[in-house]
Amino acid sequence: MITVANLADKIKSHEFTLIAGENGLNNVVNWVHMVEGEELSSFLNGGEIVIITGIGLQKEDDLFSLIKGIVRYG
């Protein structure tokens, strides 16, 4: 079983700094998704790590809308 803490520990040597989400470090990660738009967040089921490159973000508030969609689908 892989947790967010396991993943964070693996990338510490890459200048990774956790700035939020400490309460979720023990969450189990079931899958990894690349999500670039709010409409793709509907494919989430919960328990995923979501990677966002920013390629699909066109407007200033697109990231906030994307994050709200990700939260909506767990």
Side-chain angles (χ1 to χ4, degrees):
M1 162 164 71
I2 298 174
T3 66
V4 175
N6 297 134
L7 295 175
D9 189 51
K10 295 287 184 190
I11 61 173
K12 278 186 180 175
S13 64
H14 298 284
E15 298 183 29
F16 168 79
T17 303
L18 182 68
I19 58 171
E22 291 174 351
N23 291 338
L25 286 174
N26 292 322
N27 289 349
V28 175
V29 177
N30 297 313
W31 199 257
V32 177
H33 278 285
M34 296 286 292
V35 176
E36 297 300 339
E38 184 179 357
E39 63 281 352
L40 295 176
S41 62
S42 65
F43 290 101
L44 301 173
N45 297 309
E48 297 100 338
I49 286 284
V50 176
I51 298 171
I52 304 166
T53 64
I55 291 172
L57 305 177
Q58 303 296 318
K59 297 178 291 189
E60 192 171 312
D61 63 339
D62 284 351
L63 179 59
F64 185 62
S65 295
L66 177 56
I67 292 170
K68 287 194 305 188
I70 291 169
V71 169
R72 185 178 321 117
Y73 292 100

